[in-house]
Amino acid sequence: MHECPVCEAEVPISEDPVEGELLECEECGTELEILALGPITLGEAPDAEEDWGE
Amino acid sequence: MRVGFLHSLIRKDEKLLIAELRKRGDMELVFLDDRRLVFDLEGRPPVDVVLERSINHSRAMHALRLFEGVGTVCVNAYEVARRCGDKILTAASLRDHGVPQPEVRIAFTPESALAAIEELGYPAVLKPAVGSWGRLLSRVNDRDAAETILEHKAILGSYHHSIFFVQRYVEKGGRDIRSFVVGDECVAAIYRTSDHWITNTARGGRASNCPVTAELAEISLRAAEAMGGGVLAVDIFEAGGGFLVNEVNYTMEFRNSIDVTGVNIPERIVSYLRGVVR
């Protein structure tokens, strides 16, 4: 478990985390990104940009 | 085989592909984060193939061109990304290959766009040439709305919002079809059902299995071929007893389609990589 950088709630991390992985804090709903793996560092994910998508 | 995984943010779709790649004893995964890449036009990445999964269209398209420029095989190819990423190029390519699509008009000024909308009749659909997830789509129900939307686009939008892509509104009965093409096979399809006229799953459309009939497979493969082939998701309207191809997506999102179709789409994509490197 790691701490949400926004609300400090515990955020579960998957068994096979990847840098850049998106997560959602279940407590505050903030979309988070795994910024680093060793140690795991969470940050707020960037906002969607105009050319995002398929 | 070394597989370069071109990405930025890792969504569930990318996690599923990564898990599949890691299962393969004959494939080595090399992460290529587009936020850290620097190209010099000469250096070749130490990979046999690049699987493009960038969330940004502009980064994906340019990276693919630069990788291909130094001889790296990419899935999908740059030209495929270019055609799929711009609805005008998509429409032109579908037309070149005789693939049925909703009637469209392209115009470069608000005045000519208004004339185009009036010619197609109301409601009409105004789309940004580059865009996804159903964002900034407008169903234009009457002339007042058309004038307002065009004025807003011209004044508030960036320059590419002054390229107007207008499509005849297709009454699709609350659903459309998304089919998944991998190489020369249509591997699965879903219905996307919504009470809203925009049925993208990113906008709340519900996914359910759609049987891949011979007719559906045929139009899906023809649409994919028109784009240049590869790993593609084809958005299709059912209309008048036939099919119309609405869009083709080159960084396809499939996470909502695996359970409902029973098809392991990431497994099919990863298996396809082996064939393109030979």
Side-chain angles (χ1 to χ4, degrees):
Chain A
M1 297 289 265
H2 292 77
E3 202 170 81
C4 172
V6 177
C7 73
E8 301 183 354
E10 292 288 314
V11 178
I13 306 288
S14 66
E15 289 177 5
D16 54 348
V18 179
E19 262 186 49
E21 183 175 339
L22 288 173
L23 309 166
E24 187 176 302
C25 174
E26 292 176 6
E27 191 72 24
C28 69
T30 302
E31 195 165 39
L32 304 172
E33 177 187 356
I34 297 179
L35 300 176
L37 292 179
I40 285 181
T41 309
L42 299 178
E44 285 187 68
D47 292 331
E49 296 171 22
E50 192 175 345
D51 72 335
W52 279 21
E54 298 180 276
Chain B
M1 187 170 94
R2 288 167 66 88
V3 178
F5 194 81
L6 178 63
H7 70 95
S8 45
L9 294 170
I10 304 284
R11 301 162 290 176
K12 187 178 176 189
D13 307 82
E14 283 74 41
K15 282 281 295 222
L16 291 165
L17 285 165
I18 290 165
E20 189 60 38
L21 283 160
R22 284 179 166 159
K23 276 189 208 163
R24 307 292 178 108
D26 62 342
M27 291 186 178
E28 182 184 347
L29 179 59
V30 179
F31 286 102
L32 301 170
D33 188 332
D34 64 25
R35 296 170 291 185
R36 297 179 185 171
L37 291 176
V38 177
F39 295 89
D40 64 6
L41 304 180
E42 300 295 340
R44 188 171 173 173
V47 299
D48 299 297
V49 61
V50 166
L51 177 61
E52 183 282 308
R53 292 297 309 179
S54 285
I55 200 167
N56 294 74
H57 165 62
S58 53
R59 291 184 199 172
M61 196 175 61
H62 290 107
L64 290 170
R65 174 64 183 85
L66 293 163
F67 284 136
E68 288 185 350
V70 291
T72 304
V73 175
C74 296
V75 174
N76 286 303
Y78 161 71
E79 277 297 336
V80 175
R82 199 170 70 90
R83 290 184 196 118
C84 293
D86 182 323
K87 292 178 179 62
I88 297 169
L89 301 184
T90 301
S93 298
L94 292 173
R95 181 261 169 207
D96 291 346
H97 288 76
V99 180
Q101 62 183 312
E103 196 173 352
V104 302
R105 298 287 185 275
I106 293 101
F108 300 137
T109 67
E111 295 76 19
S112 56
L114 181 61
I117 291 169
E118 295 261 301
E119 186 187 337
L120 283 180
Y122 298 101
V125 178
L126 195 55
K127 298 181 173 184
V130 177
S132 66
W133 293 340
R135 291 172 302 177
L136 295 176
L137 304 189
S138 304
R139 185 170 79 172
V140 185
N141 290 336
D142 56 33
R143 187 180 174 104
D144 287 345
E147 289 175 346
T148 303
I149 293 165
L150 292 168
E151 184 182 9
H152 279 75
K153 277 182 168 289
I155 291 174
L156 299 178
S158 50
Y159 74 93
H160 57 267
H161 286 290
S162 295
I163 304 291
F164 300 98
F165 182 83
V166 189
Q167 196 178 54
R168 183 184 292 284
Y169 180 76
V170 175
E171 188 49 68
K172 53 189 179 181
R175 72 179 190 188
D176 68 0
I177 294 171
R178 161 159 293 197
S179 65
F180 298 91
V181 172
V182 179
D184 58 5
E185 189 181 353
C186 179
V187 299
I190 58 167
Y191 290 117
R192 303 186 302 184
T193 306
S194 176
D195 295 332
H196 195 279
W197 69 277
I198 297 174
T199 47
N200 297 49
T201 53
R203 295 281 295 265
R206 297 178 303 281
S208 60
N209 185 49
C210 172
V212 180
T213 62
E215 294 77 16
L216 180 60
E218 189 209 351
I219 193 159
S220 301
L221 292 172
R222 285 176 62 201
E225 186 183 4
M227 297 301 116
V231 175
L232 296 163
V234 185
D235 294 347
I236 297 169
F237 295 151
E238 303 161 284
F243 293 125
L244 298 172
V245 173
N246 181 36
E247 293 178 9
V248 186
N249 302 280
Y250 74 96
T251 311
M252 65 190 197
E253 294 169 10
F254 48 77
R255 61 184 176 275
N256 298 322
S257 305
I258 299 168
D259 289 345
V260 294
T261 64
V263 176
N264 187 341
I265 297 170
E267 187 273 329
R268 304 297 290 268
I269 295 171
V270 170
S271 294
Y272 173 76
L273 297 178
R274 170 61 68 195
V276 300
V277 171
R278 285 197 186 109

